[in-house]
Amino acid sequence: MDFFVTIGVKLIISFFGLWIITFTTGRKTLSQLTPLDFLTSLVLSEIVGNTLYDDEVTIWQLLFALALWCALAYFFEKATTHFVKFGYMAEGRTVLLVDKGQVNQELLEIMI
């Protein structure tokens, strides 16, 4: 019985932890996700998945891991929006390869 209670508590904590992380980063739709958001979700799924069935990992360790990852994601998000050049380096920027019917050859050569 203790096994089911532990998994249940870990699942509840993980669900609300992931919800808080999504809420704090301000992402509402998939189109707003950056490559870093995708990688963050993969890492979070590994954290949650690995802690669910590992008896040696306590609930406090799960909370610490979620809180630390949330803080890292939040501060990185703020850094990329506050420091524009850092944001371009970390997340890339949108460029138009075709602008007003004209192909931008310089950007095309850079991408190749």
Side-chain angles (χ1 to χ4, degrees):
M1 187 66 172
D2 186 45
F3 175 75
F4 294 110
V5 172
T6 304
I7 287 182
V9 171
K10 285 182 179 181
L11 275 173
I12 291 169
I13 289 171
S14 300
F15 176 81
F16 286 107
L18 295 174
W19 179 78
I20 289 169
I21 291 170
T22 304
F23 180 76
T24 57
T25 57
R27 303 294 190 234
K28 299 293 182 207
T29 64
L30 286 176
S31 64
Q32 294 175 331
L33 293 178
T34 64
L36 182 65
D37 294 328
F38 177 71
L39 293 175
T40 296
S41 66
L42 288 177
V43 170
L44 285 173
S45 68
E46 282 297 311
I47 290 171
V48 171
N50 290 333
T51 59
L52 277 181
Y53 298 109
D54 190 351
D55 294 335
E56 294 180 14
V57 178
T58 66
I59 293 170
W60 295 109
Q61 291 169 330
L62 172 63
L63 281 171
F64 174 75
L66 287 176
L68 180 61
W69 195 259
C70 181
L72 288 171
Y74 178 78
F75 288 123
F76 196 82
E77 178 72 27
K78 291 302 175 188
T80 57
T81 56
H82 185 70
F83 303 107
V84 177
K85 289 184 181 181
F86 177 68
Y88 287 155
M89 182 183 70
E91 295 180 350
R93 61 179 168 179
T94 305
V95 294
L96 294 175
L97 293 178
V98 179
D99 188 24
K100 298 178 185 172
Q102 300 296 318
V103 176
N104 190 338
Q105 290 293 334
E106 293 174 14
L107 289 177
L108 209 62
E109 291 173 6
I110 292 172
M111 293 181 72
I112 295 175

